[in-house]
Amino acid sequence: MNGIFAIEKPSGITSNQFMLKLQHALTNSQVFSNEIKRATAERMQQYQQQTGKKASKRKLRKVSKVKMGHGGTLDPLASGVLVIGIGSGTKQLSNYLSGTVKVYESEALFGVSTTSGDVEGDILSRNSTKHLTMDELKTIPDKFKGSLKQTPPIYAALKMDGKPLHEYAREGKPLPRAIEPRQVSIYDLDVFPDSLNTSHNYPLLRPTTEEAIETVKNLNANLLNDTLYFSKEYCEKNKYESEEAKVEKSIDLSEEEEKAISETGDAYRAPLLHFKAKVSSGTYIRSLISDIGKAMRSSCYMVKLIRLQQQDWSLEKYNVFQLNDFTERKEEVWRKVLQLVLEKGADVNVTEELARAEKEYQATNENLAETNNTEDLLPQAEESSSQAKKSDSHNTDTTPQETKGIKRTADEL
């Protein structure tokens, strides 16, 4: 059991927390127990030879569970494909950390920008949405597809002067300088036709506390005024001098809109952005959403994100496991399919193979139950046969006596 497979991470949990749940499920299974016992015994012997002491549980912790890692973090808000390396397969995970193509589906709301670029951040700006049109939104894919400069969000794990960007935001401290843009690739971008509708269940984010508002005020203008870029291909096609987007400033929220939002309360629904993007490693979907908002002279923040695909592992190809496959199905079922995936990779349709393995398992159990019932009935059948033989034997023994009686009566006559 060594190699690579993929599992669907749900929203609301970190990648590491989710991986620990999976690791716990596999460690407690029979299929990995022998390998864990072997590795534990080997480590105990090695430690004793080196130190002359018996290894403690803490010293054996690393080898007392399934060796596992993942090939690219998903934010807690995000769900979807998480590539898992198991055993010696962890050595292959470096192939997934850079240079892989990923496909995401996302939903966002126009009218607000946040420090994190998603629903978990504090509000940076509130902008108008009444000018948004579908015709204008349809021009967005051409502006962003291709080689694109992108500014990472401040809540990224990147560091500036040795300090993670998100620490500046959480402490309300200004950045030493503007965040440097990075080169990414947007291979495809499809805006879905339900975009700009307000028939959804996402309430518009509102300022939470005075403290949060004050924290945002203390952040410097780098967050609001980072340069917007269009793709190199789009700029060359339109003969722009540079890749800096020629877009007017975002339109402020009008008094009329402010009143409508205030009076409607939590029932207010902002226009939706719904799209699918095929991108290179290192692309921040939250930054792409923020940039689309600016390109539409508004603002935008993410409310939902699904990683549909990473390299060849795809929810749409059904080659991805779910956690309940390991926690709710019988080990005899998932073990066969996991072994197949580790051997053959992403070509295996996990959904079909699990259904087939489940069917085979049930058929085997039914046959076993039928066999057991037959074996239980055999002693009863043998007992019945023995009783029948005794009865026949009794009938045979009385026949000569009856015959003698008949003969004696005949002689007397």
Side-chain angles (χ1 to χ4, degrees), residues 21-205:
K21 284 190 172 187
L22 173 63
Q23 187 180 49
H24 179 74
L26 296 187
T27 297
N28 289 338
S29 67
Q30 290 296 317
V31 67
F32 290 98
S33 61
N34 290 337
E35 176 61 23
I36 291 172
K37 287 176 183 177
R38 182 202 62 77
T40 302
E42 187 177 282
R43 174 59 180 153
M44 287 176 68
Q45 184 179 11
Q46 183 185 47
Y47 185 83
Q48 194 160 11
Q49 287 175 349
Q50 291 175 346
T51 65
K53 299 178 182 179
K54 187 177 179 180
S56 64
K57 288 184 178 180
R58 187 175 64 84
K59 296 292 183 182
L60 299 173
R61 190 180 301 161
K62 286 187 177 181
V63 294
S64 62
K65 55 190 175 183
V66 177
K67 185 180 179 183
M68 188 179 292
H70 65 74
T73 301
L74 277 172
D75 290 342
L77 176 64
S79 64
V81 176
L82 187 68
V83 176
I84 297 292
I86 192 168
S88 61
T90 55
K91 296 177 182 179
Q92 303 174 39
L93 290 175
S94 58
N95 299 329
Y96 291 88
L97 296 175
S98 62
T100 59
V101 174
K102 301 172 184 177
V103 178
Y104 293 92
E105 181 179 349
S106 184
E107 293 181 352
L109 295 183
F110 283 106
V112 167
S113 68
T114 72
T115 52
S116 61
D118 59 34
V119 69
E120 296 177 344
D122 295 318
I123 291 177
L124 277 172
S125 67
R126 301 171 73 198
N127 300 97
S128 177
T129 60
K130 64 181 181 179
H131 64 285
L132 301 177
T133 66
M134 197 64 191
D135 286 342
E136 182 67 20
L137 190 57
K138 286 179 179 177
T139 68
I140 289 296
D142 284 342
K143 293 175 180 176
F144 287 93
K145 281 195 298 186
S147 180
L148 180 72
K149 287 182 181 179
Q150 185 184 71
T151 304
I154 195 170
Y155 274 84
L158 302 174
K159 292 184 177 181
M160 185 177 288
D161 293 348
K163 185 174 182 175
L165 294 179
H166 58 78
E167 287 189 12
Y168 288 99
R170 291 195 175 97
E171 295 171 7
K173 294 181 179 179
L175 298 175
R177 56 189 173 279
I179 302 172
E180 289 292 326
R182 60 198 300 174
Q183 202 76 36
V184 299
S185 294
I186 311 294
Y187 302 111
D188 206 0
L189 180 60
D190 294 321
V191 175
F192 292 129
D194 63 337
S195 292
L196 299 188
N197 87 84
T198 55
S199 300
H200 54 76
N201 296 320
Y202 302 117
L204 185 65
L205 191 65

